[in-house]
Amino acid sequence: MQKGHVVNVLDHGYLKLVDWMGTEEDIIRAARMSTGRGFERWDAGEVCKQCRVPKEEIFGSVPVPQPATESGEPCWHDWVKVPGDEKLLERLYKFNHATPFEMCVIKVEVQAPIMVFREWQRHRTWGYNEFSARYSQMPNLHYLPDLSRVQRQSKTNKQGSAEPMGEEWARNWLELVEEEQGDVYERYDWAIKEGLANELARIDTPVSRYSKMQGIVCLRNVLAFLTLRKEGGAQWEIRQFADVLGNFVQALWPRTYALWEEHTFYAKKFSRSEHEKLKSAVAALRLVMDRYTKAGYELEPSVAGAMASLDVLGFAA
Ligand SMILES: Cc1cc2nc3c(=O)[nH]c(=O)nc-3n(C[C@H](O)[C@H](O)[C@H](O)COP(=O)(O)OP(=O)(O)OC[C@H]3O[C@@H](n4cnc5c(N)ncnc54)[C@H](O)[C@@H]3O)c2cc1C
Ligand SMILES: [Zn+2]
């Protein structure tokens, strides 16, 4: 992914990758500060016990001179098998050794409706700089949802939307909103031309108006943002931005993104009492299985496999 890459979002918004810093090798290097060893190799293989060079780098097609050790002495390499740094990355992520992930940083530029910014800027671990409507006149850009987005209030989720309102109603409502946005902007523009201060002329700004900001955040905290804002409960509009941001993060740090999907985004967390219920359910299942096998029936391989997986997950009989 190149710096400056832009993806359009909603009717007038966009997300631009301004800059980024740090690779997944840097995450490993940061974690290894504790041992003085750096990044070695992603996959399993062999490295030298003393100088930690991967074996392939020495026995490649071109003969490579023996690298010197830190003390300046040549190293006569003593190979040891290592599981690969992919495993270390997984351990760091899985067991919340989170600070090495703060060594990577992403900076984006966002143009979005102010209502999206109100949600976005609640994420305090980002640094932000936004367009100033005290300093300059805001552009005449307002969010108008697509017809299909004009949905009824959800009955089950007080913060959610449900089925579409119907095309005719949606068209009428959108027309009214557009007219209103136009009127409000016209008065704003007129007042500024009359000489009214920008900071006062803006007092009737609708939250549908577009604003622009730059935001910077580390990998650890952009993942926390994505966990909350890509999730189905987040408002549809901010989710559109979060999805694009997620694609940026995936392109820059694919292994970490996959770990986040595996251990956070698609993972399920159980409370103590939910866990107790789950254990009781598994115990009841085992009882049925035992009776079944005692009666002389053989368990289907898939069922036997599923029971073995439950053992691994800590639900041993
Ligand atoms: C679906 C949804 C609905 C919401 N509805 C509402 C609502 O109705 N009203 C409302 O006001 N807000 C609402 N919010 C906003 C929400 O309460 C949070 O403010 C927002 O999601 C930011 O989350 P955060 O604090 O985890 O993020 P960040 O501020 O980015 O923080 C990331 C993490 O850093 C740590 N951290 C940051 N600051 C501190 C601190 N001061 N102390 C300790 N740890 C810290 C925490 O571990 C935190 O999880 C909603 C959010 C979502 C996703
Ligand atoms: Zn060596």
Side-chain angles (χ1 to χ4, degrees), residues 11 25 27 41 45 61-62 68 130 144 147 151 162 177 190 200 206 213-214 237-238 254 266 282 293 300 305:
D11 49 355
E25 284 84 348
I27 299 172
R41 54 185 303 148
S61 51
V62 184
E130 189 176 346
L144 258 193
L147 270 180
Q151 291 161 276
V177 173
W190 165 80
L200 211 57
M213 67 170 175
Q214 284 203 345
E237 281 74 13
I238 197 166
Y266 294 114
V282 172
T293 44
E300 294 265 336

Side-chain angles (χ1 to χ4, degrees), residues 1-59:
M1 177 139 322
Q2 301 288 321
K3 286 181 198 175
H5 180 70
V6 182
V7 177
N8 293 329
V9 188
L10 304 183
D11 49 355
H12 305 293
Y14 65 81
L15 193 74
K16 186 202 279 183
L17 175 65
V18 176
D19 210 347
W20 61 281
M21 184 186 88
T23 63
E24 292 181 309
E25 284 84 348
D26 291 328
I27 299 172
I28 298 294
R29 283 183 197 107
R32 288 249 171 77
M33 286 312 289
S34 52
T35 60
R37 280 157 47 194
F39 170 76
E40 289 170 355
R41 54 185 303 148
W42 284 120
D43 55 342
E46 289 181 76
V47 300
C48 168
K49 211 161 151 183
Q50 283 108 34
C51 71
R52 311 304 299 188
V53 67
K55 198 171 182 181
E56 299 88 293
E57 281 182 25
I58 304 303
F59 296 123

Side-chain angles (χ1 to χ4, degrees), residues 57-76:
E57 281 182 25
I58 304 303
F59 296 123
S61 51
V62 184
V64 178
Q66 305 276 14
T69 57
E70 259 176 42
S71 63
E73 291 293 310
C75 181
W76 297 101

